Amino acid sequence: MTTATRTQPLVTRIGGRIGAEIGGVRLGGELQPEAVAEIRAALLAHKVVFFRDQDHLDEAGHEAFAQLLGTPVAHPTVPSADGRYALGIDSHHGARANQWHTDVTFVPAYPAFSILRAVTIPPYGGNTLWANTAAAYAHLPEPLRALADGLRAVHTNEYDYAALKPDALPEALAQYREVFTSTKFRTEHPVVRVHPETGERSLLLGNFVQRIEGLTGQDSRALVDLFQSHIERPENTVRWQWRAGDVAIWDNRATQHYGVDDSDDHERTLRRVTVDGDVPVGPDGVPSRLISPETVPDPSFGIPSGASTA
């Protein structure tokens, strides 16, 4: 049996609460259903899984593998790098996401899975961290869990880019802002979402959060910082040191991640393909809702054209 059709990948746990490395698998669109099921089960259990030595993958193979996990979807505002869905995460284009975030939460049905492939890796630095937001919720004191269950937050892709990249040239910031916010989204999500596959509750926060609904700015910031601090606790995180050819897949419904910007001017190039998700539902059964825009030109990420803000 070849590694392409192996049905029992070797899963090695690398963190107490998050992270596993999977060996014995050659990723691509030709993987057998049994192997895909094993990978999906490990992904749901460990939140992020890593594969070494996947140098054979190109954009086409990357996207073909993503189709085995669901429906690949393009970023709602940023153009793809090479293929139809592959987004470039390139240091020379300013894509250093050195802040905790969950991908694309400024739309209602943000991605379920993200698949990141390392192309060029700097000689030092450039690691990525992931945090288990389900473990963070589960280990909150009971009064804080009860508080979080009743909160909702507004997420947006319009935020302070200068604070993120204080050393960037003004023209570079202006260009990135123009692309990333070519359509300005605002979505209200529950602060706690119920996972559609595992039933776990997880904290839905990250850098796209603008405010907690119904609170003043000061109170909102204090609560966001409080819950976010539990997500970022070291015991809820795992850190991956990239090598060219590595692939990381994470459950975007139960994690946050942070790309560390510590490789100076060295090139760091990765490609990301995302798999379409569903609209989150809170513990009270109320789903997320799109606030703005009232209509969107492209039904990306589960946003129907002409979607109502009601």
Side-chain angles (χ1 to χ4, degrees), residues 235-251:
E235 57 267 38
N236 293 327
T237 68
V238 66
R239 185 180 189 123
W240 187 250
Q241 185 172 359
W242 292 99
R243 297 199 307 239
D246 286 357
V247 171
I249 310 172
W250 62 93
D251 187 340

Side-chain angles (χ1 to χ4, degrees), residues 11-89:
V11 179
T12 304
R13 191 171 177 174
I14 59 176
R17 294 183 182 175
I18 181 173
E21 184 174 346
I22 299 181
V25 174
R26 180 182 170 91
L27 298 178
E30 74 282 358
L31 269 178
Q32 294 299 307
E34 295 85 354
V36 176
E38 290 278 350
I39 292 170
R40 191 183 192 97
L43 182 55
L44 294 177
H46 302 291
K47 312 310 181 200
V48 57
V49 294
F50 306 99
F51 303 79
R52 295 285 195 189
D53 304 320
Q54 304 296 315
D55 308 82
H56 61 281
L57 276 181
D58 56 11
E59 273 66 33
H62 191 166
E63 293 178 5
F65 171 71
Q67 290 177 341
L68 301 179
L69 293 178
T71 303
V73 356
H75 192 280
T77 60
V78 181
S80 64
D82 298 291
R84 294 175 58 200
Y85 303 109
L87 181 71
I89 311 295

Side-chain angles (χ1 to χ4, degrees), residues 93-95 159 161 164 171-181:
H93 288 157
Y159 61 93
Y161 297 90
L164 175 62
E171 55 268 28
L173 287 172
Q175 181 182 15
Y176 187 70
R177 186 184 298 113
E178 181 179 357
V179 172
F180 197 76
T181 59

